[in-house]
Each structure stands twice: as C-alpha cells, then as structure tokens.
Amino acid sequence: MRSILRLSRHVLDALAPERCAACDATVAADVLFCHACREAVNVLSPHTVRVAGLGDAIGSAGVAIASLTAFARYDAGADRGPVAAALQAFKYRNAFRLAPRLAAAMAACAPAGTEPPLVAPVPLHVRRLRGRGFNQSALLARHVGRLRGWPVAVDLLVRVRDTPSQTALDVVARRTNVAGAFAVRRAEAARKRHVLLVDDVWTSGATAQAIAELLRDAGVAAVDVLTFARVV
Ligand SMILES: [Zn+2]
C-alpha cells in the first residue's frame, strides 16, 4: 500500500504543472519565470565580463580567471527579487525540478570558444554533500554540459576543508576562508584544457579565484566562470 502511495505521488509529481522558479504561478514546461517575475529580473547585458578588471573586487592583484558569465543580477537585500527567490528555492526546496531550467538560461549565454570546454562544478565538502544529498553546482554543470554538448568532469575538483559560510565575511576574510579549501583531483584530465567552472551565484569571486589558481597551477590553459546570477 505504501509503495503504491509513493508511486502515485511520483506520478502526480511528474504530471503537475511547472511552477515559476520565484513564485507559485503556473508556467508552461521549460519556462523559468512567470511573466510578472520575468519582468523584474535584471538580465545582465552583456552576460560576459573580463575578470581582469575585477581584481579589486576579488581582493587579489593577479586574477586567474579569464572571464565571468552570469545570466542575471543577484538582487539581495530587503526587496529580494525573483533571482534570489529562485536560487533559494533551487538550493533548499526544488533543486531537481529547477536545475534544468536554470541551466538552460546559463547554457544559452555561455560563451563558445574555439574548442569545447571541460565543464566542472564548484565542489561541496563531503560532509555537506551527505547532509544535502546533492551538490547544486554539479546539477547545473551536468545540465549545461548536456545542453551544449560539452564534457562534464563532476569530480575534477574536491573540497578538502569544510569552510564556514561566506555570507557575513568581507572580501579579505573570504579569501582567507577559502584558502586551502580545494584540491584538483584529476589534474591529468584537465591539463592544457579550457575549464568552465560552474556555480549558482558569483558573490565576491573568492571561491572561483582560489579554484582557478589551483587549476592554473595544475596546468589548465584557461579558466572561465559561468553562474546563474552575479552580485553586481
Ligand atoms: Zn513568478
């Protein structure tokens, strides 16, 4: 009886209409935001910026990241908009339903180089992975890779040290916080390749910068970053 109930819940779940990523409005399949929320999204144009000019923001003299591409502006604060609401829902409630649609927006603006990049997610520490059951950045990376036909290396990087949340830290503290937190596990697979590092949101860039430095040391040719949203 229980398994029948569970099965019917899955069936109902699959048949249920898609909901807007930010509110409860019903949307057509594959649509990320309802009309009202979409109007309130600050889509970044151009999507891609050269990161060299962001050295001060990252708190580093030498920037190891070549470029950053983000679909929309992250709207935090009191008047939290649909982008922040969508990422909150993605992270804590609805990851598997939202991942394909968030990734589609990212894949559409990902820059195409001359050769396909190796797509890699920002890794989660194993303790958090056990607690949450999945790495949200890996979900996005898998879908971006599938949509663009690019290879995905989910285990290219590993988080060797669990770090406190970055939310309350300033730029310098963020850099100290992530120093030594990551390692390259499959350096051979990435040597001389172009890596596209995927994460849900770009905040200070401290995490991406720390990873990019490691990848460059491991012989990676170039590191670009792709996120759904970016704090501007
Ligand atoms: Zn909505």
Side-chain angles (χ1 to χ4, degrees), residues 87 90-91 106 136-137 140 198-202 226-230:
L87 285 178
F90 170 59
K91 221 160 171 172
M106 295 162 71
Q136 74 277 4
S137 302
L140 295 174
V198 169
D199 206 356
D200 51 357
V201 60
W202 168 286
L226 175 66
T227 63
F228 179 75
R230 170 187 160 204

Side-chain angles (χ1 to χ4, degrees), residues 139-155:
L139 283 181
L140 295 174
R142 280 208 175 92
H143 285 289
V144 167
R146 178 180 56 81
L147 289 161
R148 295 295 294 258
W150 292 338
V152 182
V154 170
D155 57 353

Side-chain angles (χ1 to χ4, degrees), residues 49-191:
V49 292
R50 301 279 313 162
V51 183
L54 295 177
D56 285 347
I58 294 172
S60 169
V63 182
I65 305 155
S67 76
L68 161 66
T69 303
F71 165 69
R73 197 173 83 189
Y74 186 82
D75 38 13
D79 55 341
R80 208 182 62 147
V83 168
L87 285 178
Q88 174 94 4
F90 170 59
K91 221 160 171 172
Y92 299 107
R93 296 195 303 276
N94 233 345
F96 290 88
R97 277 196 95 122
L98 288 176
R101 290 182 280 159
L102 293 170
M106 295 162 71
C109 59
T114 44
E115 56 182 274
L118 187 61
V119 183
V122 169
L124 209 57
H125 190 268
V126 68
R127 201 177 312 140
R128 294 200 189 210
L129 196 59
R130 279 200 206 108
R132 188 175 288 170
F134 61 90
N135 172 3
Q136 74 277 4
S137 302
L139 283 181
L140 295 174
R142 280 208 175 92
H143 285 289
V144 167
R146 178 180 56 81
L147 289 161
R148 295 295 294 258
W150 292 338
V152 182
V154 170
D155 57 353
L156 176 65
L157 296 148
V158 62
R159 198 163 199 137
V160 290
R161 191 163 61 75
D162 201 2
T163 49
S165 168
Q166 304 259 72
T167 317
L169 305 176
D170 67 18
V171 171
V172 177
R174 279 171 191 244
R175 275 188 65 75
T176 314
N177 190 33
V178 295
F182 302 96
V184 181
R185 193 155 64 176
R186 296 207 299 125
E188 205 49 52
R191 191 156 295 148

Side-chain angles (χ1 to χ4, degrees), residues 20-25 33-34 36-37:
C20 167
C23 74
D24 216 24
F33 292 112
C34 70
C37 289

